[in-house]
Structures are given as C-alpha cells and as structure tokens.
Amino acid sequence: MKKRYVMLCTLATVLCLGAHAQNTEPASSDLTRYVNPFIGTGAIDASSLSGSNFPGATLPFGFVQLSPDTEDGPDNPASGYDYNDKTIVGFSHTHLSGTGVSDLFDVMLMPTTGKIQSVPGKAETPGSGYRSRFSHDQESAEVGYYQVKLLDYDINAELTATEHAGYHRYRFPKTDQAHIVIDLNHTLNKKRPYWSCKVIDAEIRQIDPYTVEGYRVLTGWAQLRKVYFYATFSEPIISSELFNGGSMYANEKIVNGTNVRAVLNFNTGNGKPVLVRVGLSEVSPSGAKANLEAEVGQKSFDQIRQEAKAKWQEQLSNITIEGTKEQKEIFYTGLYHAYTQPNNLADVNGDYMATDYTIKNAPDKTHYSTFSLWDTYRAAHPLYTLLKPKKDAAFIRSMIRQYETFGYLPIWQLWGEENYCMIGNHAIPVIVDAIFKGIQGIDVEKAYEAVKQSSVTSHPGSPFNLWDQYHYMPENKQSQSVSITLEMAYDDWCVAMLAKKLGKDEDYQYFLNRSGYYKNLFNKNTGFFQARDDKGNWLPDFNPLAYGGNGGNPFTEGNGWQYLWYVPQDVQGLIALEGGKAGFSAKLDTFFTLKDLPKEVNGNASGFIGQYAHGNEPSHHVTYLYDYVGQPWKTQYYVAKVLRELYNNSFSGYSGNEDCGQMSSWYIFSAMGFYPVNPASGKYEIGSPILSSATIRLDNGRVFKMTAKNVSEQNVYIQSVKLNGKSYNKPYILHSDIENGATLEFVMGAKPNKKWGQDLTGLD
C-alpha cells in the first residue's frame, strides 16, 4: 500500500509538471472569482478589529459604492456594514472602504411592504420602522454585484453599479403595498464626539411618476459636502408621503428641510421587479442626470452587472499568481480593496467641485479624492506605480489641483476637501516616488513647487515655524510631537531628493538638514525617541509601552516601541544611534518578543507579535529591517508569520482597519517576496514569498516574473535567489529591475540559510 501511494504521488508530480510543495489552485482566466467582498467586513469578537470594508457594488476607483448599511448612524465599523449584525436599514450609494472614521452614506434607499413608519427603527428591534432582518445564507456578493433577501418583507434586493450610478433590482411579493423609502437624513453617527455631523439642507422632488431628483448639503468628517441625485423607476409611483422630520405631506411633489425622507408607493401585483437607476453628482442635479444617462441609459440590470465584472477583470488581469485558493482569494480581494479608492469625483463631462467650492473642469475627465495618505503612501501608492502607473499619475494631478486652490497638498482628502486627519505631509513621498520612477503625465516643475510649498507652509499637524525654530516638535507646543517629528523628517528627505534631482542645490541642503532632525528626540540613556518641551527637557515618566491616540500624547496611534523604527530615510543612522548592528538587531529581537502591554492600548492596536502591531501602519515596515543588519532570515520568519497568521479569507480577514488598500498592499507585496521600507527609495527589501509564482505584465510591455520553488507553510526561509538567471545575494531588488522586465527566482527551505543576503551594498 505504501509503495502504491509513492508511485501515485510520483505520477501526480509528473502530471503536474513539477508542482510546488504547497497545493496550488488550478489556474483560472476569470480572476474576479477570487474576489470575496465579505473579507474584512467584521471582527471575530469584541477584542479584535474589523477591516471596515463593505460588501456592496462598486467599480474600480468609482464614485459610487452601493452597499447595505446595518446601522442607523454608522460609526464602527466605518463602512456602515458589520457582518455580525442581523438587520439592514437600507442601501446607500457612497461608502468608505477600510477607514477608521465614518462618513458619506448618501442617498439611502430601502424597499419595504405593508404598513411603514417614517423612521428607520431601532437596530435591536428587527422589523421596526423600515429595518429588516437578513441572513448570510440568503446573501451574496461578487465584483460589481450584491444580493440579499430582506426577510421581514420577502423582498430580494440586488445591487450593481457604474462609476457614477447605482442600479437596484427589487423583487417584491405581489402586493399593492410596496414601498421604496428614500432617506436623506441617513448619515454617520450625529452624536460622534470628534466633530459635528449635520444635514444643513435637503430636498426631494418628484418630476413625474417615474422620476425623482434631489440633493443634500451636510457637514461631517468632510466639512461641507453637496450630493445630488437623479433617480428613475421602472414602475410608476402610485402615491407618496414626503416627510421633513415629523411633518408628513401626502402626494406632494416636493419637500425641503433638514430631515427629509420620502415613501414612494408601488403596486407590484404584476409580479415585475422594480428597477431603480440612481445617478450621483457632487456638482448639480443636471450632472447627476447626465452621469446616469451616459453610463446606464436603457441598459438592463444584467448588462450593467456584466460590464462591472468585465471592468474588474480588466483591472485585475495584469498580474496573475499561483498559490493556494485561500492565497488567491486574499491576494485578489486585496487588489480589489486597493482599487476601490481613490474615487473619481468628476462628472462624465469633467466638472468637479474644487477645494474653494468653485466648479472646475478636469481635462482628463477625472478628479480623484479619498486620499488616506498616512496609510497609503507606505505601500498602496508604490503598488499603483508598479501596477497602475497611469492611475497614479492621475491621482497626483488631482493632488496638485488641491495645492493650486488650497495652498498645499492633501493630508487626508475626502470628497475633494481637506479634513487634516492624521499627521505628516505624505502626498510628498507619493509624488517624489512617482517622479523618480519616471511615471509620465506629471508636470514635474509644478509638482516640485507643490512639494516644496507644502513643506514650508504651516497648517494643522505641521507647524513648520516650530520645526524651524526648535529643530524638533516640542510636546508642550505641539501634541503628537515625537510622531510628527519623525514623519516630517522623512517627508523632508523626500523633498531633498527631488530638489537634488532637479539641480536645486540650496533647497537640497536645506531639506536634507531638516531630514536629520529626528536625531534631536533620541534619548541615548533610554535608547528611544522621546518627547521634549520647548526648553529641551525630556518629558518625565517616559514609558515606551504607553500608547497615544490622535492627540494628548507624543505618539500617534502607537507607542515608543513602534515609533522607534520610523526612520526609513536613514536606517543606517538609526542603527548607529542604537550602538551598531548588534545593538540594533538585539533591540529588534526584543521588539518582536516583548509581550507586555499597558492597561490601555490605542483602539487601532491589534495583530500583535510582541510589540509589533500589524493592525496599524507604524509597524508595517519593521519586519524588513533585519535585512539591514545581515540577518535576513529573521525578516523571512516574521514576514511569513504575518502573512500566514494575520490574514485570512473570512469576514475577519484583516487584523485591523484595511485603510483604503494599505493593509492589502502589504500582503500583495509581501506575498511576492518584497516590500518598500522607504516608499520613495526605488528599493524593495526582500522577505519571504508565500506564492508559487507571480507574473506582472507591465505598462511598458515588459514582464516581471517571480517564482518560489518548494514554497510551503514550513519552507519559509530563502535558500538561494537568482535575478535574471544569475545568483543574487542582495536582500533587496530595485524598481528598475522590475520595470526592465526580469525573473526573480527563489528557492525556499525549512531552515535558514544564513549565508544568503549578506551583500548589503546599497543598504549600508
């Protein structure tokens, strides 16, 4: 029996043409089948974090994200949908993907039957108001499509989308009491303590028995948003009730106010589904109508659904991988999340609202927003330079438009407006990285002007007057001082490198000098970066385990251990501060093994390996730092541990907020075997590939291919590497290597090969 088993295995190996050590999923040309929109939509329990993703329908980088909301006032998770909830309150057309803060949720629709109230009802009371129970057994999602059975009403709801429009198909039971609610008061939690959310004005207007339009103006995370919609119905509206707060107006054609809803009544006795097409615009009702007519017109629901799938297939198809089914689902869902934003706010004619609230026109018909730059500059934007360089150029043109009307580049831009969330000026490394990589479509001189001006203009979170006066941020003058000091030093290095490239020597020297200011907060007595006051005194009672949040503490969403490693522009300088390679590596060892935690940690802290917290961005590059001290096998061990333990293909697939593609981009890079420690350096440090192979068809027509022989759950250590067929002993590769077209071949094993990766030329 044993002999027969060996023979069968040998035959299988031959038939599989040398399959790798792990069980790979057979190749499929339909890459969308690996996207699972439910990944990251919930948490296992109260002790873990949701990825804060939504399962609804959207297009790559589209304006509309049509998805169910399970909360009346969405807050946490910020996507509005929690996989653990039991009821749905409605389907709104705009959402944020993976963020830690909620907003949008515009133009919510909800189909119902029977007697209806004018308010949503309480989450803990299924069926109250117009809320309905649902079951995951009668719910499904794929790219560009979502479906759910609303159990309280026996309605099957289906959603699909174009770039600027949502398309609903509601299959009602046969009844003369079918209703569709339009709720313009549905917003993020209006009682959230951080800022005031308020609907300033809203209107719903019935044009004819088949058409309704309206708008709302509101404040929230984005200080002022205007949302216009134009909706058409396949069946006639028999009657209606319009509401402003508690006031009801039967069969009126218009309602205005600050708490506006409409109940539109239908007779579905003919058994036909009710189709609702909803165009959106941030500019005008006519813009919403034009968007709808241009993108949907008279196309059927199924046509739009198939077009959405084809567009996602096109976006995903320039990279193909071999691995297990789970790995493919995590990888391609990660790409899906990375391509869910930034979002094109411009109407089909190119009109958009600028940061000065005037209407301008984008010649390329695109103006992007939703720039979660504190997160995405680390890996998501470097990924765009590799896989979507034309999109990255368009993103940068949009950022520069903010500079032209607002005075400086985005910090965290939402709905075309600056909300100043987080710290640093991280549009700078995004722009510098793209220019150094030679991405076309960027006005380099204008970009440098924007980068430089954004580095000398004080604004919330970046008081450059303090920076120039003290050469660090004093905590008694600027909260989050240590994190801001470290992050601004990195941004300054990026400005310096671009100045050097453009021959601006005086600027180069100035910003290079500022990039070294991080050293002024290093306390040699403790071996950590610490806060000082404006007199130069260290703040007392320093505890490197103590967490900060977003103010009132020297550290931003992290602690002294996690921010110790944030000097990506000068790792060798940090190594010197820690007493050399031996001290640096010993400190890293402690970082990954020290499990002590204070009584309270920041709410974003999760995915722990010692003090490493993969659930938030400050830790993301740290696993790769062993490469700099000649111990790449430790990088391989920890990268493999994160890849295999902190990602999965369930609804709880992320160890923290997915953050607009950053968490996914870490996986995508690392699964292929490399990651950018310094996102603007043009280098990718090598880790531990988890895939059998990955093939990238580059925009320049060349092909980059990575293979990993013998890769498996046990074989996480690199035995040898070849680049273009030649032995390769450096623990990094260059972006130019990839862009020129290359083959990168790993041989993996179960034990470290401590001789590999010892050529540190370029890292030392």
Side-chain angles (χ1 to χ4, degrees), residues 397-707:
R397 290 196 295 271
S398 299
M399 293 179 192
I400 292 173
R401 291 186 191 120
Q402 170 167 322
Y403 161 70
E404 292 174 331
T405 57
F406 201 67
Y408 40 88
L409 292 164
I411 310 303
W412 211 122
Q413 192 201 79
L414 175 62
W415 207 263
E417 298 181 21
E418 185 56 63
N419 63 32
Y420 297 109
C421 187
M422 307 310 297
I423 60 173
N425 291 262
H426 298 319
I428 292 170
V430 169
I431 293 172
V432 172
D433 181 40
I435 292 173
F436 270 100
K437 289 174 178 173
I439 291 177
Q440 301 299 302
I442 303 170
D443 183 333
V444 174
E445 285 297 331
K446 173 63 73 173
Y448 179 75
E449 176 189 318
V451 161
K452 178 182 176 181
Q453 192 63 39
S454 299
S455 299
V456 296
T457 302
S458 294
H459 53 81
S462 296
F464 289 106
N465 56 321
L466 298 178
W467 194 229
D468 285 327
Q469 180 179 356
Y470 296 101
H471 298 180
Y472 62 89
M473 289 294 166
E475 180 66 19
N476 60 325
K477 298 286 187 179
Q478 174 61 53
S479 181
Q480 306 175 73
S481 60
V482 176
S483 294
I484 292 175
T485 295
L486 294 169
E487 295 193 22
M488 285 176 58
Y490 173 67
D491 292 335
D492 280 347
W493 178 88
C494 293
V495 183
M497 293 303 104
L498 183 55
K500 182 179 181 181
K501 176 181 175 65
L502 299 179
K504 302 178 186 296
D505 295 336
E506 185 175 345
D507 287 352
Y508 166 66
Q509 293 296 335
Y510 172 73
F511 287 107
L512 184 66
N513 181 55
R514 289 202 335 187
S515 74
Y517 287 177
Y518 75 90
K519 296 177 183 178
N520 297 327
L521 290 187
F522 187 80
N523 187 339
K524 294 180 180 179
N525 294 323
T526 63
F528 287 92
F529 293 108
Q530 294 180 218
R532 298 179 112 139
D533 63 20
D534 59 342
K535 306 299 182 184
N537 302 311
W538 300 111
L539 266 61
D541 304 319
F542 172 68
N543 177 4
L545 294 172
Y547 269 81
N550 300 97
N553 188 282
F555 298 98
T556 302
E557 295 188 6
N559 64 15
W561 270 108
Q562 288 151 11
Y563 263 96
L564 172 60
W565 315 104
Y566 191 80
V567 192
Q569 77 277 17
D570 188 17
V571 178
Q572 294 304 323
L574 180 59
I575 290 172
L577 289 178
E578 289 292 348
K581 292 181 179 179
F584 184 84
S585 60
K587 199 74 164 280
L588 271 175
D589 291 344
T590 303
F591 175 70
F592 282 105
T593 55
L594 180 62
K595 296 182 179 180
D596 293 342
L597 291 175
K599 293 181 180 179
E600 295 182 5
V601 299
N602 177 256
N604 289 290
S606 59
F608 283 102
I609 303 173
Q611 291 303 299
Y612 179 89
H614 192 70
N616 209 18
E617 280 66 27
S619 290
H620 274 193
H621 68 292
V622 185
T623 52
Y624 287 86
L625 293 181
Y626 283 111
D627 283 349
Y628 286 77
V629 291
Q631 297 181 350
W633 62 91
K634 292 182 180 178
T635 282
Q636 295 154 32
Y637 172 82
Y638 285 114
V639 168
K641 187 175 179 67
V642 174
L643 283 167
R644 297 179 189 279
E645 296 180 8
L646 297 179
Y647 291 85
N648 65 67
N649 60 347
S650 78
F651 68 89
S652 62
Y654 297 110
S655 57
N657 295 332
E658 201 275 337
D659 285 319
C660 291
Q662 170 58 27
M663 194 76 73
S664 293
S665 298
W666 189 97
Y667 184 94
I668 292 162
F669 271 125
S670 296
M672 294 190 292
F674 47 89
Y675 180 85
V677 168
N678 177 347
S681 68
K683 295 188 182 76
Y684 303 103
E685 284 68 16
I686 290 175
S688 176
I690 198 173
L691 302 172
S692 302
S693 71
T695 302
I696 302 174
R697 284 163 289 283
L698 300 161
D699 259 25
N700 61 15
R702 299 187 177 107
V703 173
F704 169 78
K705 184 168 185 178
M706 178 283 297
T707 61

